[in-house]
Amino acid sequence: MAVHVVKSGESLWAISSNYGIPVSTIVRINGLTPAANIVPGLALYIPQNGPLQIRHYQVNARDSLWSIAQRYQTTVTAIINENLGLQTSASLSVGQRLRIPSPIKMKIATLGFVLPFSLEASIQSLEATSSHLSYLAVTAYALTNQGYAFMRLNDSGLVERSRQLNVIPLLMIRNLTNQFSPELIGNVLRNPTTRNNLIMSLVHLAKQRGYGGVSIDFEFIPPARRNDFILFLRELKARLGGLILHVNVHAKSEDLPQNPIVGGYDYRAIGAIADFVAVMTIDYGYPTGPPDPIAPIGWIEQVVQYATTQINPRKLQISLPLYGYDKVVSSHVTAAMSVQGAQNLALTVEEPIQYDTNAQAPWFRYWRGIDEHIVWFEDIRSYIEKYNLIDQYQLLGTTFWHIGLTAPQHWEYMKNHIDVMK
């Protein structure tokens, strides 16, 4: 594998000749617009046969170079050669990070969210990405003031097609009205009757519609309802029986019980109940906010470091964004687009792409009339950093928001470097 960052004056033809890969392959894999010129800073993913891939590992108390080599089917010499200053097992220390040449791919459980505004488009997105998915969360359900779950978007055919493609479908419910409503979910959780209505209707719908479980996405839960949320999850899990309970939570790097965004989540208690938990490590740079990276790597690691003290890493997923944000600098007016769309916007406006090494994320600036725009997005470099973090902390895997957004580089990388649990 190579990541080639375009330099000023380079052409696709020259890059193609250098790597021995047809221009058409580079265009397809990277989702380029055929007629567009490439720009400096554009990161191209170039699949190659040859050297072993590099796994990322964090040393534990009982590790030795020999035991690590055995685990990754490599040699002590290969590990030493890949890590500057490493000589013997005596030079290992707990928490030390190692690069491990290995023939073994990282194996993770993944979940893709789908928004079935168009069933035809949603099924096409599922079919295009199914080999990379363990689970599909069908984002089609909401709840009433009385606690009854109901279908907000039509999911007909998605569950059946998902099972045909060996992807486990999950019924995803959100506390949406026109937006996420703290009042709605707070009032339902506080009342034992409405809480029970929600549990019973979720179980009924999941079984009736043929789902393999439920994915909960209740956002901005009032902090006062923190314990009621745990009661709800505990009762729901008991009623689901063998069906899966997946819970999505906002990201935090410490417990803030009174915070209106994250105070409603008791990570430890949620992790003890749920089959697995997804921390939403996205929207650090949020819509209508100032131009900022969407998922900076340092922030994600802080969240992971805290989350793994509360939740078993093998039950923990982080979220990867398949989108970018184009923001007007003066007003923070925000337009969302796929990562492919963001990349190709840079080619269209012919602006060089910058790469923030602290955030490990790409961005570019352009002008439309008198308005300055800044676009933050993800590319092959930023995705590799996030997968390395998953590997290093031995997490269960990741979620993708959302599979209707095109991200050719990302899926090609997964195909070549990651085994997905099925």
Side-chain angles (χ1 to χ4, degrees):
M1 176 203 77
V3 174
H4 183 90
V5 180
V6 174
K7 301 178 182 65
S8 180
E10 283 192 310
S11 67
L12 280 179
W13 181 86
I15 295 168
S16 165
S17 298
N18 184 46
Y19 289 98
I21 293 178
V23 169
S24 59
T25 301
I26 296 175
V27 168
R28 176 183 59 80
I29 286 172
N30 293 281
L32 303 178
T33 303
N37 293 320
I38 57 176
V39 298
L42 171 68
L44 298 173
Y45 173 54
I46 313 290
Q48 289 180 312
N49 296 322
L52 297 176
Q53 60 185 327
I54 302 298
R55 299 289 304 275
H56 290 73
Y57 185 72
Q58 192 162 256
V59 174
N60 294 312
R62 296 183 179 179
D63 283 333
S64 66
L65 284 176
W66 182 86
S67 67
I68 296 170
Q70 292 295 301
R71 177 175 182 168
Y72 287 97
Q73 295 182 17
T74 187
T75 66
V76 170
T77 300
I79 297 174
I80 289 173
N81 289 341
E82 189 63 37
N83 294 273
L84 186 66
L86 189 64
Q87 296 179 345
T88 67
S89 291
S91 56
L92 292 177
S93 57
V94 174
Q96 183 177 356
R97 299 177 180 185
L98 299 177
R99 292 167 52 85
I100 313 291
S102 174
I104 304 173
K105 293 182 180 180
M106 178 168 60
K107 188 169 188 177
I108 59 175
T110 65
L111 180 147
F113 299 100
V114 65
L115 292 157
F117 291 109
S118 162
L119 275 174
E120 182 181 1
S122 295
I123 290 174
Q124 287 176 352
S125 297
L126 169 61
E127 290 172 343
T129 59
S130 62
S131 62
H132 309 301
L133 301 179
S134 309
Y135 304 92
L136 180 75
V138 182
T139 311
Y141 289 80
L143 63 146
T144 68
N145 290 322
Q146 292 74 40
Y148 293 106
F150 68 94
M151 187 190 298
R152 193 166 180 265
L153 298 172
N154 187 4
D155 64 356
S156 298
L158 265 172
V159 173
E160 294 84 351
R161 190 67 183 121
S162 181
R163 289 195 178 279
Q164 290 168 2
L165 294 167
N166 196 27
V167 179
I168 298 173
L170 303 180
L171 182 158
M172 185 172 181
I173 184 167
R174 303 189 289 175
N175 55 316
L176 275 181
T177 51
N178 292 325
Q179 56 188 4
F180 284 101
S181 172
E183 295 78 19
L184 171 61
I185 193 58
N187 289 334
V188 168
L189 289 176
R190 74 188 299 174
N191 185 311
T193 299
T194 53
R195 194 168 65 229
N196 186 64
N197 290 344
L198 183 54
I199 292 166
M200 297 304 292
S201 60
L202 277 173
V203 172
H204 172 73
L205 281 169
K207 292 181 178 179
Q208 179 192 55
R209 306 293 295 178
Y211 282 98
V214 173
S215 178
I216 301 295
D217 182 21
F218 294 155
E219 302 192 19
F220 310 110
I221 297 170
R225 304 277 70 84
R226 178 180 172 115
N227 291 333
D228 292 326
F229 184 46
I230 297 306
L231 287 175
F232 162 76
L233 292 178
R234 187 174 293 123
E235 294 165 11
L236 175 60
K237 179 57 186 171
R239 296 290 181 90
L240 284 171
L243 297 183
I244 291 164
L245 177 59
H246 177 248
V247 181
N248 300 274
V249 297
H250 277 292
K252 58 183 177 180
S253 55
E254 60 179 318
D255 197 16
L256 301 166
Q258 303 307 315
N259 183 281
I261 298 175
V262 298
Y265 303 119
D266 181 340
Y267 275 17
R268 186 179 296 276
I270 293 169
I273 297 166
D275 292 293
F276 52 113
V277 179
V279 181
M280 293 183 278
T281 48
I282 53 179
D283 275 9
Y284 177 88
Y286 56 92
T288 74
D292 273 319
I294 295 166
I297 197 70
W299 171 68
I300 293 177
E301 184 160 14
Q302 289 177 354
V303 172
V304 168
Q305 286 173 341
Y306 170 70
T308 52
T309 68
Q310 307 296 305
I311 301 170
N312 182 340
R314 299 309 300 164
K315 294 178 73 170
L316 188 65
Q317 295 174 313
I318 61 171
S319 300
L320 267 62
L322 302 183
Y323 58 88
Y325 286 143
D326 179 344
K327 298 189 178 186
V328 179
V329 174
S330 60
S331 64
H332 300 169
V333 170
T334 305
M337 61 190 69
S338 69
V339 292
Q340 182 185 15
Q343 167 195 272
N344 288 345
L345 176 59
L347 306 189
T348 299
V349 298
E350 298 184 344
E351 290 292 341
I353 296 171
Q354 313 296 324
Y355 193 76
D356 187 305
T357 55
N358 289 325
Q360 292 291 333
W363 67 279
F364 63 93
R365 175 186 286 109
Y366 74 99
W367 293 82
R368 183 163 288 160
I370 63 171
D371 290 327
E372 180 187 11
H373 290 242
I374 290 180
V375 181
W376 283 94
F377 63 111
E378 303 288 317
D379 68 9
I380 185 61
R381 295 169 290 183
S382 61
Y383 285 129
I384 289 173
E385 291 297 325
K386 291 172 177 62
Y387 280 115
N388 290 346
L389 196 67
I390 292 169
D391 200 16
Q392 177 186 316
Y393 283 90
Q394 300 291 292
L395 305 183
L396 173 66
T398 185
T399 65
F400 309 117
W401 185 268
H402 61 83
I403 64 168
L405 298 167
T406 50
Q409 285 184 334
H410 170 260
W411 299 121
E412 189 73 19
Y413 177 82
M414 282 197 72
K415 182 180 78 173
N416 294 322
H417 298 279
I418 294 172
D419 282 336
V420 172
M421 297 179 191
K422 292 284 191 177

